[in-house]
Amino acid sequence: TVEFLNVRKEKAILREYIPSDKVYRLVFVGDKLACCIIHPNRKGDFRSAIDGTYDIMENPPSRIEELGLKAAKACGYAFVGVDIIDHATRGPLVLEANPPANFTTIKENTGVDIAALIVDYLLTRANTSRLLGSVNPEQWGRYAERGVP
């Protein structure tokens, strides 16, 4: 297949198949883990989250969380969902990092309000930024009225 693509001068992304029984989806806001969801793979299928099933994990293994944060920082994302598998011999491996993570579905299914955490993060950054100076909290009162801190 690689020779065929070369002859045709086609561009392609080839990926290694790495067997795994589940995918960890870690959602970070800034450098804090907001939520971890586990998508189980169906037996005989390499894809995860096809049918929308998942489990919520309060405390993922530290090596998974640490790798997720490193991936988020390496990408330069402040709000990101990082997908990781934990291979039996190679250890945790990052599959992808996506900004922004699908936080609407997360709130509906877990109760974790990622949007509110993002707004809070941005307001905190704006209030402490030397470039922006101090922001008057009264300017953001309309957000508090909508239930966002």
Side-chain angles (χ1 to χ4, degrees), residues 50-87:
I50 297 303
D51 56 4
T53 60
Y54 63 88
D55 294 315
I56 301 166
M57 179 173 261
E58 296 292 328
N59 297 304
S62 60
R63 67 179 193 264
I64 301 289
E65 184 174 346
E66 289 166 7
L67 180 61
L69 183 56
K70 284 181 187 177
K73 286 183 176 183
C75 294
Y77 299 142
F79 326 117
V80 62
V82 181
D83 291 351
I84 297 176
I85 60 172
D86 196 3
H87 190 267

Side-chain angles (χ1 to χ4, degrees), residues 21-130:
D21 62 341
K22 64 181 166 279
V23 175
Y24 295 87
R25 162 58 62 100
L26 294 97
V27 179
F28 291 93
V29 176
D31 62 354
K32 293 185 169 65
L33 178 64
C35 165
C36 178
I37 296 173
I38 299 173
H39 294 288
N41 292 354
R42 287 186 283 181
K43 190 168 181 76
D45 194 345
F46 68 92
R47 300 168 296 170
S48 65
I50 297 303
D51 56 4
T53 60
Y54 63 88
D55 294 315
I56 301 166
M57 179 173 261
E58 296 292 328
N59 297 304
S62 60
R63 67 179 193 264
I64 301 289
E65 184 174 346
E66 289 166 7
L67 180 61
L69 183 56
K70 284 181 187 177
K73 286 183 176 183
C75 294
Y77 299 142
F79 326 117
V80 62
V82 181
D83 291 351
I84 297 176
I85 60 172
D86 196 3
H87 190 267
T89 58
R90 294 163 64 183
L93 303 167
V94 174
L95 299 178
E96 63 183 350
N98 300 303
N102 186 353
F103 53 82
T104 305
T105 302
I106 291 170
K107 181 178 181 190
E108 290 170 357
N109 295 300
T110 69
V112 177
D113 192 346
I114 303 294
L117 295 173
I118 290 172
V119 169
D120 188 54
Y121 172 85
L122 291 171
L123 291 174
T124 301
R125 294 271 323 251
N127 282 327
T128 59
S129 171
R130 292 182 205 209

